[in-house]
Amino acid sequence: MRRCDAAVVGAGPAGVAAALYLARFGVNTVLVEKSAPGGLLLTTFEVKNYPGFPKGIKGYKLADLLSYHIQPYSNLTHVRAEVTGLRLEGRHMVLTVDEDRLEADCVVLCCGVGYRKLGLPDEDRLLGRGLSHCAMCDGHFFRGRRIGVVGGGNSALEESLYLTKTVAELHLIHRRAAFRAAPVYVDKIKAADNVVMEYNSIVTALHGSDKLEGVTLKRLPTGTEEFLPIEGLFIFIGFEPVLPDLPAEIVRDERGFIVTDAEMRSSVPGVFAAGDIRSKLCRQVVTAVGDGATAANAANSYLEQGNAR
Ligand code: NAP
């Protein structure tokens, strides 16, 4: 079993910031991530609201910069593996990391979020066969085709704007008549000439055997249903927390996100949470980075005060 002072779980913007700050505090840190650093940045086309990049920066480029930034620290080890569980054992915390175990005096959970699903019967089967959660990864498959996008938040509209450059026709399917996305995106999407607004509508069925051929749209005011022939459907209806098995003592909100105080301390001493996994309203790259730095500061104080369980 490996041992460290601090374990950071997840290498999205929050995890990288937490690991970087812990390393600079001189803490012996292990950062565990099952894929490349960057988190959702790896599937984000462009980030336009990260201070310091007035022209925007491609998601993968920002992810690369984050990754380079944590390389020079000899007291920071990056382990490429999946954390499936966290247990409290006496004075220590023990993480299950693939087949191995990692013992730490404190843990910063930065596991991020995964895409919420519609909950329809054929959704898993058609994922990658017309269904997608990533415009940048899959948009090129639908060049000159008719597609749908579900959602009315920043993700749906931002990704739709990217897709309008490639597809022939984009049906934006939203369950209400008003978008919750920022006005800057709403104005742009309304001005696009290849977008058909499907307000007050939900997808009730997915059709296609080998690949998506269309969806059933239910019009909410009337309850009438109609078939919409589309070859692609991009689903951006929010996120769900991605978490390993956690002790019940770690308090979570009704949607499963970890409740913390302003210093990123969870209800269990020595367990901190940062970034999108945390119960909060504003989920941005910049807030994730701020959470990570704050969590590292609190974790370092916890270690300095000899608070290990
Ligand atoms: P979101 O803001 O939670 O929006 C989800 C959208 O999906 C809402 O319009 C919601 O409808 C709809 N929805 C939820 N469940 C649904 C269902 N079962 N069927 C149909 N529609 C459903 O999620 P998000 O857009 O992914 O954004 C998540 C967070 O990341 C937000 O804090 C957002 O601001 C942030 N973000 C920021 C940026 C940026 O700043 N550039 C970009 C992307 C994301 P209702 O509106 O009716 O609830």
Side-chain angles (χ1 to χ4, degrees), residues 116-118 149-153 172-180 197-203 217-221 236-238 255:
R116 184 180 292 155
K117 294 179 183 178
L118 290 169
V149 172
V150 190
L172 184 51
I173 304 160
H174 182 36
R175 62 186 180 182
R176 292 187 296 128
F179 293 112
R180 69 167 62 233
M197 297 295 184
E198 307 283 8
Y199 292 122
N200 298 312
S201 302
I202 55 170
V203 176
L217 280 190
K218 183 175 182 176
R219 307 299 186 184
L220 288 180
F236 301 110
I237 59 168
R255 291 176 55 205

Side-chain angles (χ1 to χ4, degrees), residues 24 60 69-70 79 95 98 106 108 127 155 160 189 192 195 235 238 259 274:
R24 292 176 65 84
Y60 76 88
H69 204 152
I70 50 173
V79 174
L95 294 162
D98 284 349
C106 68
V108 186
L127 192 66
S155 298
S160 291
I189 204 76
V195 174
I235 302 162
V259 176

Side-chain angles (χ1 to χ4, degrees), residues 39-286:
L40 287 181
L41 281 175
L42 295 169
T43 55
T44 299
F45 173 61
E46 196 166 30
V47 179
K48 286 200 164 161
N49 51 7
Y50 196 74
F53 295 93
K55 293 185 176 163
I57 179 167
K58 300 278 182 283
Y60 76 88
K61 280 197 179 162
L62 187 51
D64 275 354
L65 289 172
L66 294 176
S67 184
Y68 292 140
H69 204 152
I70 50 173
Q71 278 172 15
Y73 295 92
S74 58
N75 57 331
L76 170 59
T77 308
H78 182 186
V79 174
R80 195 158 178 163
E82 184 168 10
V83 173
T84 53
L86 165 65
R87 280 207 321 279
L88 312 175
E89 283 188 6
R91 288 172 50 81
H92 303 293
M93 287 146 209
V94 178
L95 294 162
T96 309
V97 182
D98 284 349
E99 306 304 312
D100 204 355
R101 298 191 334 146
L102 172 65
E103 188 181 275
D105 288 340
C106 68
V107 172
V108 186
L109 296 168
C110 310
C111 323
V113 289
Y115 292 100
R116 184 180 292 155
K117 294 179 183 178
L118 290 169
L120 295 173
D122 293 310
E123 204 166 345
D124 288 339
R125 183 176 64 79
L126 290 170
L127 192 66
R129 296 167 178 265
L131 250 61
S132 173
H133 296 283
C134 179
M136 193 177 66
C137 322
D138 299 329
H140 61 279
F141 292 126
F142 303 100
R143 186 170 295 280
R145 310 294 171 91
R146 183 195 289 129
I147 65 156
V149 172
V150 190
N154 279 330
S155 298
L157 268 67
E158 209 175 38
E159 301 294 313
S160 291
L161 285 168
Y162 173 74
L163 289 163
T164 54
K165 296 178 190 140
T166 314
V167 304
E169 191 173 287
L170 186 155
H171 291 249
L172 184 51
I173 304 160
H174 182 36
R175 62 186 180 182
R176 292 187 296 128
F179 293 112
R180 69 167 62 233
V184 62
Y185 300 128
V186 177
D187 293 346
K188 281 188 185 163
I189 204 76
K190 284 184 174 168
D193 56 13
N194 58 348
V195 174
V196 180
M197 297 295 184
E198 307 283 8
Y199 292 122
N200 298 312
S201 302
I202 55 170
V203 176
T204 53
L206 305 166
H207 305 280
S209 46
D210 285 346
K211 56 189 176 72
L212 186 76
E213 289 163 13
V215 300
T216 300
L217 280 190
K218 183 175 182 176
R219 307 299 186 184
L220 288 180
T222 57
T224 54
E225 292 195 326
E226 59 193 73
F227 180 73
L228 175 68
I230 47 175
E231 291 175 68
L233 184 69
F234 289 79
I235 302 162
F236 301 110
I237 59 168
F239 296 98
E240 306 284 359
V242 175
L243 285 168
D245 279 343
L246 293 179
E249 296 97 307
I250 297 178
V251 173
R252 297 196 258 157
D253 68 15
E254 66 287 349
R255 291 176 55 205
F257 293 94
I258 297 174
V259 176
T260 71
D261 66 8
E263 302 304 322
M264 311 299 139
R265 292 181 285 232
S266 79
S267 51
V268 170
V271 178
F272 304 82
D276 288 355
I277 197 65
R278 200 164 75 79
S279 181
K280 59 177 183 174
L281 287 180
C282 186
R283 292 194 168 83
Q284 302 278 304
V285 184
V286 71

